[in-house]
Structure formats: structure tokens, C-alpha cells
Amino acid sequence: MRFVDLLLCLGLLLLAAFIARRDIQDAHDLHRQDSRLVTAFNFPVSPRSIVGYDRGGHRVAMLPLGFKRMALFVIHGTKLQADIDFWNQAAQQNRSPDVEFVGICDDAACVQSMTKDPGNAHFASVLFGDYYAMRTILNADSHGQIIILDRKTDRMTNVEYPASGAALSRIMSILTEKL
Amino acid sequence: MINGQRWLRYASILAVLLNVVAIGMHYYIAHQKRTLGVLPQGAMIKPVTGIDSLGNYVTESTVSAYSCHVVRYTSIRCPSCRRDEPSWNHFDTILRNHGCDSTILVPAATDAPRNVAPLPNRRLVPVVPAFVARQTNLLATPSTIVFDHDWKVVWSTLGMLQAGDTERALSALE
């Protein structure tokens, strides 16, 4: 009887070891798949199709043409007017005809407000855009960054979200560098 | 002899506990794998809005009339999506007959399938507001998510639809 008990106990221990070994393999697979998925589907892409307004308040279906570089940033619905004022100030400081500022609405309140009064912003705005490109810009924003898009090469560079006038001047110099 | 029996009892209890933990881990990993890259069951989002392929605004009130919602993330550039089309068409038809509406999202407007005839309860939405992209957070095509009336995820899958998925989605809606 004791021999049978011993065998049963041993069997259970072996079964636990077997399942645990498979669990470890599965956990490694899961981790690998997860990181592959995130890496493969997280390369930056700029929006091609949009619904928004240019700086003059005219409706546009693509990013404004005729600019060599653009600053793509999120207009936060939670501090809508403050963000609009800040970026209006940036647009006013901009002396280069080759640079444009493009704000992307991040919530329904911003979309509604911009639709109602597009002239409130003195920069281009995006209310709707390509799913994947929207994720790219939101992803940068979640890291406290904005994107500088070079229209000629389509290269996107992430820079820190300007929190002050000095930071904004730095961004202006990046935007106008070697144009 | 008594010590031996006690030892055996402790070893047996330990073995049972180890099995419970290992089996629990197995189910946890299986669940994580099932929801990898797609919204997990029970997650709640705001309605998926945007502008459809006909240029109409898809608003919260457009979609609130339906008892359940299906969101499909697909692309013409994705071979698995093309192979999955017959299964998706079947899935979509059955769920719409059940009272759901379906929304097709694409990574970029140029990825939109050309053969989708828009219906009142089926729309292709090439452009979305940023908060839709943030909430749904879809990583890869094809992905399929079924929501109840209040936009709570009841069923989701990443990759091609499998045999029995339609039934599983329907039973999740019950």
C-alpha cells in the first residue's frame, strides 16, 4: 500500500514538473510574441489621409502642402485652450515659410471645439486621421514628445514636448535647421 | 514508520499544490495568449466613431441603435486578411443578423478593402479620431472584436478566425 502511495506521490511530482516546464516554455513564447508584435507594429508613420483644417481654417483632406518640415503634436482636450494658446504663440514666432505646425485632437471635446471654430487655432489641425498614424503621434505624446516630420524624406524625429519658451525656441531651431 | 508516513503525506500535499499552481499558470498563459495584441474580454471603450468611406460622420448615436458591435481591423496588404475573408464574411453576416453592426478599421485609408459594400449596419471607417486609436489600441491585422451594446468587449481574437469562432462570439453575447 505504501509503495503504491509512494508511486502516486512521485507521479504527481513528475506531473507538476512536466506542467511547470511547459509553462516556462509558454511564458517565454508569450514574451517573445508580445515583444515581436510590439516591435513590428510600432514603427512611426505620418498621417496621409486626414480630416482637419489648415491654418486659415479651411477644411483639408491631407497634411498641408508646400512645407518642408512639420511639427506634429497632440492638442490635449483636457487643457484645450492652454494648448491652443501655446501653439498659436509658436506659430506666431515662426518666420519660416517652410515650417508648419500641426495639432492632433486627442478627444471628442477638442474635435467638437475645432469643428465649431477652426479659426481659433493659427496652425493646422487634424480631427480624424489614419488609424496607425494616429497611434504613432499618441505614442510620442505618451512619452512627452512631439514629432518633427521631414516632408522630403518622410523621416520622423521625436523631440521633447516644449514645456517652456526656451524649449520652444530649441524646437524652432530644429525645425529650421538646414532647410 | 510513522515518520515515513508523515513524510509521504507532506510530499503528496506538496505535489498536489505544485500541480494546482502549474495548472493555474497554464490557464493564465493561455488566457494571455488569447488576448495578445487585442482588447481583453471585459474591457470597456467609448463608441468607435470616425468618418466612413462615403464621407459620412459615424457618431455615437449612429452606432447606439445596435444591440452589439463588431470591429474588424484589416488591410488589403495583409495576406492573412485576404485568406480570412470568407470566414470574416460569414462571421460578419451572422453577427449582423443577430443585431450587431460592424465597423471595419484599417491601418491607413489606402489599406481599405475595395470590395466592402457599405450597408446601414456595416461601415468602413478609413479615418478615426485619435481617441479611437488610443482606446482600441489594435496592433496587428486581422483582429476581430465583439462588443455588447455598451461597448464592453465580450469576445476578441488576433489573427485569422477559426472554426467555431462565430458560435463562441454568439454565445459570449448571450
Side-chain angles (χ1 to χ4, degrees):
Chain A
M1 188 63 181
R2 197 167 159 224
F3 178 69
V4 176
D5 290 347
L6 195 67
L7 267 183
L8 273 173
C9 178
L10 206 65
L12 275 171
L13 281 169
L14 283 173
L15 182 66
F18 173 74
I19 301 172
R21 197 168 148 260
R22 295 298 301 264
D23 282 351
I24 292 166
Q25 280 175 354
D26 284 351
H28 280 306
D29 282 351
L30 181 72
H31 180 69
R32 222 179 8 246
Q33 276 179 25
D34 193 28
S35 40
R36 203 182 305 155
L37 208 60
V38 169
T39 317
F41 295 94
N42 258 345
F43 54 90
V45 167
S46 65
R48 308 262 172 204
S49 302
I50 63 156
V51 171
Y53 296 93
D54 65 11
R55 64 165 84 162
H58 306 109
R59 200 169 153 139
V60 290
M62 62 172 89
L63 290 178
L65 298 171
F67 299 97
K68 288 185 181 164
R69 259 177 224 157
M70 285 180 171
L72 306 177
F73 53 88
V74 167
I75 311 168
H76 305 97
T78 48
K79 48 180 181 121
L80 185 61
Q81 199 51 52
D83 273 10
I84 290 175
D85 291 345
F86 180 81
W87 290 107
N88 274 347
Q89 186 196 332
Q92 259 168 8
Q93 277 181 30
N94 175 32
R95 296 277 170 263
S96 171
D98 295 326
V99 169
E100 177 61 312
F101 291 88
V102 182
I104 288 94
C105 272
D106 81 334
D107 73 357
C110 173
V111 171
Q112 267 173 11
S113 165
M114 294 298 236
T115 310
K116 220 164 135 187
D117 186 14
N120 189 17
H122 304 146
F123 50 84
S125 57
V126 174
L127 315 186
F128 302 87
D130 292 324
Y131 184 95
Y132 193 82
M134 292 303 234
R135 281 196 55 214
T136 299
I137 297 155
L138 287 173
N139 194 29
D141 186 64
S142 68
H143 289 96
Q145 294 169 327
I146 67 163
I147 293 173
I148 299 213
L149 170 67
D150 189 310
R151 293 290 268 167
K152 206 153 78 180
T153 59
D154 238 5
R155 193 167 161 233
M156 298 173 90
T157 315
N158 288 27
V159 295
E160 288 302 303
Y161 193 99
S164 62
L168 188 59
S169 304
R170 267 201 304 279
I171 283 177
M172 295 300 290
S173 58
I174 296 171
L175 276 165
T176 50
E177 193 185 14
K178 292 182 195 162
L179 268 177
Chain B
M1 185 71 177
I2 290 167
N3 278 346
Q5 272 180 356
R6 189 175 291 169
W7 177 87
L8 191 58
R9 192 185 300 155
Y10 288 149
S12 301
I13 291 168
L14 178 72
V16 169
L17 282 176
L18 282 175
N19 273 292
V20 168
V21 171
I23 291 167
M25 271 288 284
H26 167 79
Y27 278 103
Y28 172 76
I29 293 168
H31 177 261
Q32 291 292 102
K33 265 192 175 167
R34 209 157 49 82
T35 57
L36 185 70
V38 70
L39 284 171
Q41 214 172 309
M44 250 182 126
I45 65 163
K46 285 193 177 152
V48 172
T49 56
I51 295 180
D52 71 13
S53 51
L54 302 173
N56 302 316
Y57 280 89
V58 179
T59 60
E60 288 193 22
S61 59
T62 318
V63 294
S64 65
Y66 299 94
S67 62
C68 47
H69 318 278
V70 183
V71 170
R72 169 82 165 176
Y73 187 49
T74 187
S75 165
I76 49 162
R77 292 178 222 284
C78 139
S80 315
C81 304
R82 288 197 296 271
R83 279 203 304 276
D84 199 32
E85 221 171 277
S87 306
W88 158 246
N89 286 337
H90 171 74
F91 185 93
D92 180 41
T93 308
I94 300 281
L95 269 96
R96 281 189 296 107
N97 287 342
H98 189 76
C100 300
D101 66 329
S102 72
T103 304
I104 298 166
L105 298 177
V106 285
T110 48
D111 293 328
R114 314 257 187 268
N115 55 354
V116 178
L119 298 167
N121 62 352
R122 180 178 64 193
R123 63 196 76 85
L124 174 62
V125 180
V127 287
V128 293
F131 56 86
V132 166
R134 176 192 288 142
Q135 284 193 106
T136 48
N137 198 29
L138 293 159
L139 284 178
T141 55
S143 294
T144 312
I145 313 175
V146 179
F147 298 88
D148 69 5
H149 177 263
D150 301 319
W151 291 90
K152 185 168 133 191
V153 178
V154 292
W155 186 86
S156 60
T157 190
L158 170 70
M160 290 169 69
L161 291 163
Q162 305 297 315
D165 275 353
T166 310
E167 292 71 28
R168 278 188 280 276
L170 280 174
S171 68
L173 279 168
E174 299 304 321

